[in-house]
């Protein structure tokens, strides 16, 4: 291999540790890593000189849940990226695997352990492809029963202490959910929070007295705040609110005296600790600029979290309260060959066509006119954050500017911003891209004749919409598992997703005329840009037909288009060899078209 090929491989083969989770009462934690090629379960404790793989499963581990005592663990594993998790019980220090819940044609989402560890709860769409019912399973007999039927998306969240009640979440829109208390004896449900208002309810933490707990919500606010709540009088008290930013995640300490929480400040996480007795909060200020998630308490004095940054791609860290010390526990993502080349992006913004301020990350070694690529995240209810992105970092190291915007509709900037692109306002988000190009050109940050665009999932739709509605702007385009027509997408996506996606995109009943008007598939005659397309054959979110139909159309017109199918992937590219294939081809394509 050439020196440049070796360098690219160094960027693509960086390994990370993520999804950290403490094992109760063990001073030990687990995490996931793709070090062996696919996501597998790893473990760490003080007696180990280094982390070790807990067990080798045949496919990717998606979810992990430890029992209250820490003696047992349940993992969810799917098949070749299809997201249909099946559950397996791990015993004997994670070394013994026992099949627990298997129905390969159906989705399963784990909920919670009963406090006595005799039962678990989960949901599945076994009754109907679009309906998720709640099940309770006896771990000794393996028998299970439906305890609550719901004609929509419904997930069990927590099992109340010393009670035969479950806290469940029912998804009401693409972003909003409602919390209910389900009595397993009477099967009655009671709503938690205001009856007449919708909102987001996340990171629910229950107190051991059974009275209530803590949660994050944007009810009555534009951004998510931290609340305490009680079940009996359905009372919510706001404890911490930063009007400009969301509180993203929080975790209650075992003794219930502290809450660790993160604030999302434009794609950068700040870390804070709240004293639950006096409501005083402090910020832990010596963390890197990056994103923090997977908060978990090892004990009353120590908690762990996953930190991902542009210069530290992903490892597990530990903070000790009594000594105010921060320690990097794993070093999976260290890569001496590229560490000195990694770039921290500048956080900037521009004013779009209608006056909306749109933030973006700007990656470049030099602030000058140069070939550039615009990277569009998926969702759209997601956010490009200050993290490690191998293709972005490699192209930036090779003299490209890479611009990653959070166009309207992105999460992280409040309810008002995330709803600016809903339904028939869709093309305003695409106009944001054109405004971004105009801004970058005026600032002399790009060479306008050497501009590429790439995106995944909804970002793939943005790519296809950009090259059909603004065809003269682009010299190269990459569509990864993207949507080429909202009508065909909604007709063919999983029934479990259709209703919620219609809240975002518009409905088949009312908006088909608009879908036809804006569909990239209907406007392929405008495309002038060479196009590279990727899709996973087992994608249950955006069916592969979305890619196939636009590729076939472009080929029939004689357009320059290449299509790469991953036979053993779904919506996400999880296997290391496919990750390398995907990004190697993108880099080669961009270099060919833009230099």
């Amino acid at each position: 291999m050439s020196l440049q090929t070796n360098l690219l491989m160094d960027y693509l083969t960086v390994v990370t540790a993520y999804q950290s989770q403490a094992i109760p009462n063990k001073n030990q934690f687990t995490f996931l890593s793709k070090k062996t090629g696919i996501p597998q379960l790893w473990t760490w404790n003080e007696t180990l000189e280094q982390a070790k793989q807990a067990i080798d499963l045949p496919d990717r581990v998606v979810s992990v849940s430890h029992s209250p005592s820490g003696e047992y663990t349940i993992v969810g594993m799917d098949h070749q990226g299809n997201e249909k998790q099946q559950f397996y019980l791990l015993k004997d220090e994670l070394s013994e695997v026992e099949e627990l819940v298997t129905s390969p044609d159906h989705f399963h989402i784990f909920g919670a352990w009963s406090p006595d560890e005799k039962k678990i709860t989960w949901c599945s769409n076994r009754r109907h492809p679009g309906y998720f019912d709640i099940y309770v399973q006896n771990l000794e007999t393996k028998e299970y029963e439906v305890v609550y039927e719901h004609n929509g998306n419904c997930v069990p969240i927590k099992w109340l202490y010393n009670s035969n009640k479950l806290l469940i979440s029912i998804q009401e829109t693409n972003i909003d959910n409602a919390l209910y208390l389900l009595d397993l004896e009477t099967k009655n449900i009671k709503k938690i929070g205001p009856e007449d208002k919708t909102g987001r309810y996340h990171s629910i933490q229950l107190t051991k007295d059974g009275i209530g707990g803590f949660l994050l919500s944007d009810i009555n606010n534009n951004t998510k705040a931290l609340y305490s709540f009680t079940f009996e009088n359905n009372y919510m008290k706001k404890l911490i609110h930063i009007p400009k930013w969301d509180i993203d995640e929080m975790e209650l300490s075992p003794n219930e005296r502290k809450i660790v929480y993160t604030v999302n400040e434009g794609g950068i996480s700040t870390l804070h600790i709240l004293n639950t007795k006096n409501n005083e909060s402090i910020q832990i200020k010596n963390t890197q600029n990056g994103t923090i998630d997977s908060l978990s308490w090892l004990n009353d004095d120590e908690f762990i979290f996953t930190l991902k940054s542009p210069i530290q791609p992903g490892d597990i860290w530990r903070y000790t309260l009594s000594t105010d010390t921060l320690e990097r526990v794993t070093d999976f993502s260290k890569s001496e060959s590229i560490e000195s080349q990694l770039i921290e992006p500048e956080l900037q913004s521009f004013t779009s066509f209608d006056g909306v301020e749109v933030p973006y990350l700007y990656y470049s070694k030099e602030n000058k006119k140069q070939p550039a690529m615009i990277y569009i995240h998926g969702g759209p209810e997601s956010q490009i954050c200050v993290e490690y992105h191998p293709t972005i970092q490699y192209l930036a190291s090779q003299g490209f500017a890479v611009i990653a915007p959070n166009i309207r509709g992105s999460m992280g900037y409040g309810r008002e911003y995330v709803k600016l692109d809903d339904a028939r306002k869709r093309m305003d988000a695409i106009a944001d891209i054109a405004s971004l190009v105009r801004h970058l050109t005026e600032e002399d940050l790009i060479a306008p004749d050497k501009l590429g665009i790439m995106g995944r999932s909804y970002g793939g739709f943005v790519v296809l919409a950009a090259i059909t509605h603004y065809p003269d702007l682009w010299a190269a385009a990459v569509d990864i598992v993207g949507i080429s027509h909202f009508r065909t997408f909604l007709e063919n996506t999983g029934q479990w997703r259709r209703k919620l996606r219609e809240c975002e995109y518009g409905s088949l009943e009312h908006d088909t005329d608009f879908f036809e008007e804006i569909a990239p598939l209907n406007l392929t005659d405008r495309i002038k840009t060479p196009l590279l397309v990727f899709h996973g054959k087992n994608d249950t979110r955006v069916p592969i037909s979305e890619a196939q139909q636009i590729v076939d159309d472009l080929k029939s017109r004689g357009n320059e288009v290449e299509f790469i199918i991953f036979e053993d992937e779904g919506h996400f590219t999880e296997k290391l060899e496919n990750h390398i294939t995907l990004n190697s081809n993108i880099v080669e394509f961009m270099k060919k078209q833009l230099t």
Side-chain angles (χ1 to χ4, degrees):
M1 289 192 292
S2 68
L3 290 176
Q4 284 300 319
T5 301
N6 284 330
L7 178 61
L8 173 59
M9 289 297 292
D10 287 340
Y11 280 88
L12 298 182
T13 54
V14 168
V15 176
T16 63
Y18 60 99
Q19 207 169 309
S20 51
Q21 188 176 155
I23 303 177
N25 308 308
K26 300 287 187 179
N27 203 34
Q28 180 179 352
F29 65 83
T30 59
F31 60 93
L32 300 184
S33 179
K34 300 179 186 178
K35 192 169 187 176
T36 60
I38 57 173
Q40 290 290 305
L41 185 68
W42 289 68
T43 186
W44 176 95
N45 64 47
E46 289 283 9
T47 62
L48 296 173
E49 291 186 1
Q50 58 184 4
K52 69 174 184 178
Q53 188 175 348
I55 199 157
D56 187 17
L57 294 173
D59 218 316
R60 69 164 181 160
V61 176
V62 179
S63 64
V64 181
S65 179
H66 303 301
S67 69
S69 71
E71 292 300 317
Y72 308 102
T73 296
I74 290 174
V75 297
M77 180 178 70
D78 73 352
H79 177 65
Q80 295 189 345
N82 67 1
E83 300 187 66
K84 295 179 179 178
Q85 290 185 66
Q86 314 298 311
F87 297 137
Y88 300 84
L89 180 65
L90 305 186
K91 300 188 286 188
D92 193 20
E93 299 294 324
L94 307 177
S95 64
E96 182 183 335
V97 184
E98 186 177 302
E99 191 175 273
L100 188 61
V101 177
T102 56
S103 180
D105 292 334
H106 300 103
F107 293 89
H108 303 89
I109 301 171
F110 188 81
W113 292 79
S114 65
D116 61 8
E117 301 186 354
K118 293 181 179 179
K119 297 178 180 178
I120 59 171
T121 178
W122 40 271
C123 66
S124 179
N125 65 339
R126 295 185 180 196
R127 177 171 61 94
H128 181 279
Y131 301 160
F132 279 78
D133 301 326
I134 293 179
Y135 294 72
V136 167
Q137 182 171 17
N138 184 303
L139 282 181
E140 183 178 353
T141 65
K142 304 296 189 296
E143 294 178 352
Y144 50 81
E145 63 171 329
V146 177
V147 296
Y148 184 72
E149 290 187 351
H150 179 70
N151 294 351
N153 288 53
C154 182
V155 181
I157 300 294
K158 298 282 185 180
W159 204 304
L160 270 64
Y161 295 96
N162 303 316
S163 172
N164 203 27
K165 295 179 180 179
L166 292 177
L167 192 64
I168 66 174
S169 172
I170 293 178
Q171 200 70 28
E172 296 186 320
T173 72
N174 56 316
I175 62 172
D176 294 326
N177 63 311
L179 296 181
Y180 293 87
L181 199 59
L182 169 65
D183 189 313
L184 293 175
E185 294 178 359
T186 66
K187 303 302 188 289
N188 292 329
I189 63 171
K190 173 188 175 184
K191 189 172 184 180
I192 306 302
E195 288 283 348
D196 57 344
K197 295 181 180 179
T198 59
R200 294 179 287 166
Y201 294 89
H202 297 162
S203 280
I204 295 90
Q205 306 286 301
L206 301 183
T207 52
K208 295 183 179 68
D209 58 15
I211 292 174
F214 302 88
L215 54 79
L216 303 178
S217 180
D218 62 358
I219 201 80
N220 298 322
N221 298 299
N222 188 40
T223 56
K224 286 190 296 181
L226 196 161
Y227 289 84
S228 62
F229 72 94
T230 56
F231 291 117
E232 187 169 338
N233 58 10
N234 208 16
Y235 176 68
M236 290 176 59
K237 178 183 178 182
K238 189 187 299 184
L239 303 179
I240 302 288
H241 183 220
I242 300 95
K244 187 176 181 180
W245 306 119
D246 277 336
I247 299 178
D248 264 355
E249 183 181 0
M250 61 106 169
E251 187 78 9
L252 180 65
S253 66
N255 63 11
E256 303 182 357
R257 296 176 183 171
K258 307 284 186 182
I259 290 176
V260 57
Y261 65 95
T262 60
V263 178
N264 179 350
E265 299 186 0
I268 299 173
S269 300
T270 57
L271 189 63
H272 306 256
I273 299 176
L274 173 71
N275 185 316
T276 59
K277 302 304 178 185
N278 58 21
N279 205 33
E280 291 182 357
S281 183
I282 61 170
Q283 181 179 345
I284 300 170
K285 295 186 177 181
N286 53 344
T287 58
Q288 289 183 13
N289 277 353
T291 60
I292 293 171
D293 59 33
S294 304
L295 303 169
S296 188
W297 290 86
L298 284 169
N299 50 61
D300 291 324
D301 191 42
E302 299 175 304
F303 62 84
I304 56 171
F305 57 89
T306 301
L307 172 65
K308 296 169 283 187
S309 82
I311 61 174
Q312 192 263 294
D315 271 300
I316 315 303
W317 291 68
R318 174 173 58 179
Y319 179 77
T320 304
L321 277 70
S322 58
T323 58
D324 187 26
T325 55
L326 191 61
E327 175 191 7
R328 182 175 177 172
V329 182
T330 65
D331 58 1
F332 274 39
S333 67
K334 285 187 176 179
S335 178
E336 294 181 2
S337 60
I338 64 170
E339 278 185 352
S340 63
Q341 303 298 314
L342 296 178
I343 298 170
E344 291 201 68
E346 298 176 26
L347 183 56
Q348 301 187 18
S349 67
F350 67 95
T351 302
S352 195
F353 68 97
D354 58 354
V356 170
E357 198 71 11
V358 177
Y360 67 92
L361 300 177
Y362 178 74
Y363 293 79
S364 177
K365 279 195 166 183
E366 302 177 24
N367 289 335
K368 66 175 186 179
K369 189 178 293 188
Q370 57 194 311
M373 181 186 76
I374 293 176
Y375 176 87
I376 310 297
H377 68 71
E381 315 93 329
S382 183
Q383 183 183 28
I384 184 75
C385 294
V386 179
E387 297 176 354
Y388 176 76
H389 301 276
T391 303
I392 289 176
Q393 288 285 352
Y394 178 78
L395 288 173
S397 77
Q398 297 300 298
F400 288 78
V402 183
I403 302 93
N406 281 306
I407 55 177
R408 68 189 68 204
S410 299
M411 281 292 194
Y413 310 93
R415 293 181 63 84
E416 295 170 6
Y417 192 78
V418 82
K419 296 182 76 63
L420 286 177
D421 67 339
D422 285 0
R424 293 185 179 241
K425 295 181 284 187
R426 180 63 43 207
M427 298 313 292
D428 288 350
I430 311 307
D432 282 345
I433 303 299
S435 294
L436 172 60
V437 174
R438 188 180 311 112
H439 160 78
L440 295 169
T441 303
E442 290 172 353
E443 295 293 320
D444 279 337
L445 295 176
I446 63 170
D449 60 335
K450 297 179 179 179
L451 180 60
I453 185 170
M454 68 172 285
R456 171 183 284 275
S457 191
Y458 172 76
F461 163 77
V462 173
V463 168
L464 297 175
I467 64 175
T468 50
H469 290 269
Y470 300 94
D472 296 322
L473 296 181
W474 314 104
V478 178
D479 161 28
I480 308 168
V481 296
I483 300 165
S484 60
H485 197 313
F486 282 124
R487 176 181 57 78
T488 57
F489 160 72
L490 289 170
E491 288 172 345
N492 296 313
T493 191
Q495 291 186 45
W496 57 285
R497 301 186 74 242
R498 183 174 301 131
K499 178 181 176 182
L500 301 181
R501 289 295 84 205
E502 286 187 324
C503 293
E504 170 68 38
Y505 298 136
S507 70
L508 289 170
E509 181 180 358
H510 301 293
D511 298 297
T512 299
D513 61 325
F514 180 66
F515 295 158
E516 296 295 339
E517 177 187 333
I518 69 170
L521 183 63
N522 293 344
L523 304 171
T524 51
D525 60 310
R526 300 181 183 180
I527 294 177
K528 304 175 182 180
T529 312
L531 179 64
L532 177 59
V533 180
F534 298 91
H535 219 103
K537 186 177 180 181
N538 306 313
D539 195 336
T540 54
R541 298 188 182 212
V542 179
I544 194 172
S545 55
E546 287 300 302
Q548 192 68 64
Q549 62 191 8
I550 197 164
V551 168
D552 289 346
D553 186 286
L554 288 172
K555 285 184 175 179
S556 71
R557 296 175 181 276
N559 286 55
E560 187 177 346
V561 59
E562 182 181 357
F563 187 24
I564 296 175
I565 299 173
F566 294 118
E567 299 285 339
D568 55 354
E569 298 279 14
H571 195 62
F572 305 96
T573 310
E574 293 283 22
K575 294 179 173 61
L576 180 60
E577 61 190 61
N578 295 333
H579 168 75
I580 292 171
T581 298
L582 173 83
N583 290 286
S584 297
N585 277 274
I586 291 171
V587 167
E588 181 181 351
F589 177 74
M590 287 293 179
K591 282 190 168 184
K592 175 185 175 182
Q593 303 297 339
L594 304 183
T595 58

